[in-house]
Amino acid sequence: MLQAGAGTGKTTTLQMLARATTKKGRYLAFNKSIATDAAQKFPGNVLCKTAHAMAYGAIGHQYSGRMNAPRLPGWKTGLLLGINMTIRIGPRKVSNKALSTAALETVARFCRSADEEITRWHVPHLRGIEEESLHSQLVEVVLPYARKAWGDLQNPDEGIVRFDHDHYLKIWALTRPKIQADFLLLDEAQDTNSVVEKLFNDQRGHAQLVMVGDSAQAIYGWRGARDVMSDFAGTQLSLSQSFRFGPALAAEANRWLTIVDAPIRLAGTPRIDTRITEVPAPSAILCRTNVGAMLEVMRQLDTGTSVALVGGGQALVALARAAIDLKAGRKTSHPELLLFDSWGELQEYAEFDPAGHDLLPLVDLVDEHGPEVILQAVARLSSEQDAQVVVSTAHKAKGREWPSVRISSDFTAPEDQEECDDDGFPLPGPIDDAEARLAYVAVTRARDLLDLGGLSWINQHPNGNPGGAFPGPRSGGPAVSSDPVSAWTV
């Protein structure tokens, strides 16, 4: 197992390992673009593919006819499965559309798991009925339809549910396949989902397993990924020399690595003079949330700056259209908001229900600017090559780098504790591990200049100042942003 910090050349190291042998190897890539790029760089004895590509070659091609079927709205698929009712669970009316969405998401969650059967644990929690007794009522209704949908997907010739790539990967995984190779290289292991983890570990009896990643960059747990490096049985090695940035930024990264108790600390390249200072015109602005990214886009557009948004604005367009529907008193099909009958109902939930507080930034954004303004801003986005500044969430920035980076204001400090210090000031609250890992990803995207911006609070937090001294050289002063936005990631 190879723990490789940000910018340490992990892929280059894997290529060197592959060239050191003539044995047959497989490189399992995180996505198709990485696999395609790796195929150009690895020697001929290593086949570079995603797990999905291997599954397609083995069994997925048998379902190709079903994958080309016309797309249907989830509720229409649900009707064909027999979901034609509306039920009441607690304070909410759960329509056939919501039940259909839940049933199909149950199948999707099962496909990402290592489980052999669909169980209650795969049924998603829906906004507005999060309480466990209410969720149990949802499970009773949804689970039989989810199992019916999975049964429908077993037919390679025809069926009700539209067949997608995760379906054939799961069907292949359930056959317990033997991958023909002498060694397997698993890249980005910290973001592996459970079905791929099991496929990989099941090869231990006949192949040497090598996984590489950075446990401190495990930021996709919310969508089913798991840091499989945390309990992998094998020899542990590390790469700690970063070739992306200099000592000052390595010291900043090490603050966050210390907070998450990561197994490595980074050393910067002395010949790179990375500075931590205010950056009025950065190459990229990194945000905590989609809502924060939209606010940054609008701020930049207001100054006449051309802006690109990594990943495009479709997630924000979907939210704006959902807001338009709810404001007009219509139900929306947006999976986060489908249980609400009106915008007022969503406002009340976001403000007064603890489970809905993460929706407040969206509500505030729409209430202040209106959904039409959001749609207009997305329409004005530029391509990355034509933009003066790139705006991205930290999640989408993973694997990227820019000459200069500013951290946006929606990276907010943890709430203070009720307890006070000797001077009567509230003690800072603990830093959440997931937030610290995301901060580590964000600060390590810069090569030359980093503006800490919304993460400047770390300079006053005791966990960011171990031993009473800053853990490395600094220059300049970080900008302190003044427009905090609560976290909400879509």
Side-chain angles (χ1 to χ4, degrees):
M1 183 182 74
L2 186 61
Q3 284 278 359
T8 57
K10 61 182 177 63
T11 304
T12 301
T13 301
L14 289 180
Q15 293 164 16
M16 293 170 64
L17 290 173
R19 291 191 182 98
T21 182
T22 58
K23 291 183 178 180
K24 181 180 178 181
R26 291 285 188 107
Y27 170 86
L28 294 182
F30 185 64
N31 58 41
K32 185 177 179 180
S33 63
I34 293 175
T36 301
D37 182 63
Q40 309 299 317
K41 299 175 180 177
F42 275 82
N45 59 309
V46 177
L47 186 62
C48 302
K49 287 190 174 184
T50 64
H52 286 87
M54 287 195 295
Y56 185 84
I59 201 170
H61 62 277
Q62 299 174 19
Y63 296 82
S64 59
R66 287 195 62 173
M67 285 188 288
N68 294 325
R71 291 185 180 273
L72 282 179
W75 66 270
K76 287 190 176 181
T77 301
L79 283 177
L80 294 172
L81 289 169
I83 306 175
N84 57 8
M85 74 293 282
T86 293
I87 63 173
R88 177 168 286 279
I89 298 180
R92 307 288 177 200
K93 288 189 297 183
V94 186
S95 68
N96 67 306
K97 292 184 178 180
L99 293 171
S100 300
T101 298
L104 296 176
E105 177 59 20
T106 299
V107 175
R109 287 160 62 99
F110 166 65
C111 288
R112 294 191 294 265
S113 77
D115 302 326
E116 297 193 0
E117 296 180 352
I118 296 178
T119 70
R120 63 177 289 111
W121 310 115
H122 301 121
V123 179
H125 286 73
L126 297 184
R127 291 274 188 183
I129 53 171
E130 294 93 339
E131 200 273 321
E132 194 54 43
S133 65
L134 301 179
H135 179 65
S136 294
Q137 296 177 48
L138 179 70
V139 168
E140 288 184 18
V141 177
V142 166
L143 201 54
Y145 291 108
R147 289 170 174 161
K148 183 177 180 180
W150 181 243
D152 172 86
L153 289 164
Q154 307 309 301
N155 187 334
D157 299 316
E158 59 182 10
I160 294 169
V161 183
R162 192 173 194 274
F163 202 93
D164 69 27
H165 300 284
D166 281 349
H167 296 147
Y168 65 71
L169 175 61
K170 183 64 175 180
I171 291 172
W172 182 56
L174 289 173
T175 68
R176 301 179 182 271
K178 179 179 179 180
I179 300 174
Q180 298 299 326
D182 299 311
F183 64 92
L184 274 75
L185 309 173
L186 177 63
D187 204 354
E188 300 289 353
Q190 79 282 348
D191 289 327
T192 301
N193 63 27
S194 295
V195 67
V196 175
E197 175 191 8
K198 188 174 188 306
L199 277 168
F200 183 75
N201 281 323
D202 281 351
Q203 314 308 311
R204 187 180 292 273
H206 70 277
Q208 182 180 5
L209 305 184
V210 179
M211 60 169 55
V212 61
D214 184 354
S215 289
Q217 294 192 53
I219 60 174
Y220 286 107
W222 54 276
R223 72 176 191 191
R226 198 181 84 81
D227 177 18
V228 302
M229 305 182 76
S230 60
D231 54 10
F232 181 71
T235 303
Q236 299 191 21
L237 304 172
S238 64
L239 292 174
S240 59
Q241 175 66 61
S242 179
F243 302 100
R244 179 181 300 159
F245 43 73
L249 204 152
E252 177 62 40
N254 286 338
R255 287 210 281 185
W256 301 102
L257 290 171
T258 300
I259 290 168
V260 300
D261 195 24
I264 60 172
R265 300 293 182 270
L266 291 177
T269 299
R271 61 180 174 79
I272 303 178
D273 182 26
T274 308
R275 291 180 294 142
I276 301 176
T277 184
E278 292 186 9
V279 185
S283 307
I285 301 173
L286 303 187
C287 307
R288 171 66 183 82
T289 66
N290 280 320
V291 172
M294 191 70 253
L295 286 170
E296 283 290 356
V297 165
M298 291 192 293
R299 290 188 192 111
Q300 296 299 316
L301 290 173
D302 284 346
T303 65
T305 304
S306 58
V307 189
L309 181 63
V310 172
Q314 291 311 303
L316 291 161
V317 167
L319 288 170
R321 288 175 176 163
I324 290 172
D325 285 340
L326 291 172
K327 281 177 169 288
R330 299 188 299 266
K331 299 275 283 186
T332 174
S333 59
H334 194 289
E336 282 284 304
L337 310 176
L338 51 75
L339 288 192
F340 300 96
D341 292 321
S342 67
W343 185 252
E345 192 175 281
L346 177 60
Q347 287 174 312
E348 181 180 357
Y349 171 78
E351 185 171 357
F352 298 112
D353 192 320
H357 282 179
D358 62 326
L359 290 173
L360 270 175
L362 167 68
V363 171
D364 291 342
L365 176 69
V366 171
D367 285 343
E368 181 175 353
H369 300 281
E372 293 81 6
V373 173
I374 297 172
L375 293 174
Q376 292 167 9
V378 171
R380 294 172 60 193
L381 290 172
S382 302
S383 63
E384 288 195 41
Q385 57 265 36
D386 296 328
Q388 294 169 283
V389 63
V390 174
V391 174
S392 176
T393 62
H395 285 92
K396 291 188 177 74
K398 192 168 174 294
R400 305 282 300 272
E401 59 182 73
W402 291 273
S404 59
V405 168
R406 185 170 77 219
I407 307 301
S408 185
S409 56
D410 63 340
F411 279 88
T412 56
E415 293 185 3
D416 290 337
Q417 302 180 62
E418 294 183 3
E419 184 181 355
C420 295
D421 62 18
D422 294 339
D423 297 320
F425 294 104
L427 291 173
I431 301 172
D432 180 76
D433 268 7
E435 296 300 314
R437 287 195 296 271
L438 193 63
Y440 164 69
V441 170
V443 301
T444 54
R445 299 308 97 195
R447 294 196 299 266
D448 303 318
L449 297 171
L450 172 66
D451 185 337
L452 272 178
L455 287 172
S456 297
W457 56 264
I458 192 63
N459 293 328
Q460 284 73 48
H461 197 285
N463 289 356
N465 193 24
F470 183 79
R474 300 177 64 84
S475 61
V480 179
S481 301
S482 59
D483 185 18
V485 180
S486 301
W488 188 50
T489 301
V490 179

